[in-house]
Amino acid sequence: MTGTFISMFNLKVLFLAFLLLAADALAARVIYSGNFAGSSVSTRTQKATVVDDAKAEAILENIATWSNGEFTASKGRTTGIVTVVNVEAAASKGKASELVQNMQAVVSENYRPAARSPSPTPASRPHSPAAHKLRRRSPRFVRSY
């Protein structure tokens, strides 16, 4: 009895781990980092988000054109994290925080996911309620004049 319980528990743990890995494979991390000039060293403020892979690739390819060269993006070789940074350091931490918000706004304004094919109208779908009503009509409900 105990052996069966342990093996069932192991199967559940393995299944949960598989689901977590599968979910992680469909998402990418993006870090928006605003650099600003500190007292003696350059410091930064940042915000991390999780986006789908298509959006991460679009950010990598297009952030420089979307922002007119104000921001750049790079992807870590080992981690795969996309980092968006400002090209010129901001004057203060407050300005750097504004830049981080601007980075996110630029991405939201310009990123458009791939267009999906339009869904068929309800009457053209074979199993829709509207199509079902059309099929149910029988001659006894049709008036003859």
Side-chain angles (χ1 to χ4, degrees):
M1 173 97 178
T2 305
T4 306
F5 175 74
I6 292 173
S7 64
M8 289 299 293
F9 179 74
N10 288 341
L11 285 174
K12 289 179 184 179
V13 169
L14 286 174
F15 183 69
L16 180 63
F18 173 74
L19 288 178
L20 290 174
L21 288 174
D24 190 40
L26 302 175
R29 290 189 56 197
V30 176
I31 297 176
Y32 300 96
S33 179
N35 296 322
F36 62 95
S39 56
S40 61
V41 292
S42 180
T43 52
R44 67 176 182 245
T45 181
Q46 60 188 18
K47 168 119 182 164
T49 59
V50 177
V51 298
D52 62 350
D53 288 336
K55 187 171 186 176
E57 290 300 319
I59 291 171
L60 273 172
E61 294 173 9
N62 302 314
I63 191 69
T65 55
W66 291 342
S67 66
N68 295 322
E70 191 176 350
F71 310 128
T72 61
S74 62
K75 186 174 186 176
R77 274 187 276 157
T78 57
T79 61
I81 297 174
V82 176
T83 306
V84 180
V85 296
N86 51 323
V87 175
E88 295 182 19
S92 66
K93 185 175 182 176
K95 295 287 184 189
S97 295
E98 287 177 18
L99 283 174
V100 169
Q101 291 176 350
N102 288 345
M103 290 174 197
Q104 292 176 309
V106 164
V107 170
S108 343
E109 289 172 6
N110 292 293
Y111 175 71
R112 301 285 180 256
R116 296 181 186 171
S117 61
S119 61
T121 59
S124 66
R125 284 186 274 176
H127 300 292
S128 70
H132 186 65
K133 285 180 184 177
L134 292 175
R135 285 192 307 269
R136 279 194 310 189
R137 284 194 186 151
S138 64
R140 65 180 177 182
F141 294 117
V142 178
R143 285 188 180 176
S144 60
Y145 294 100

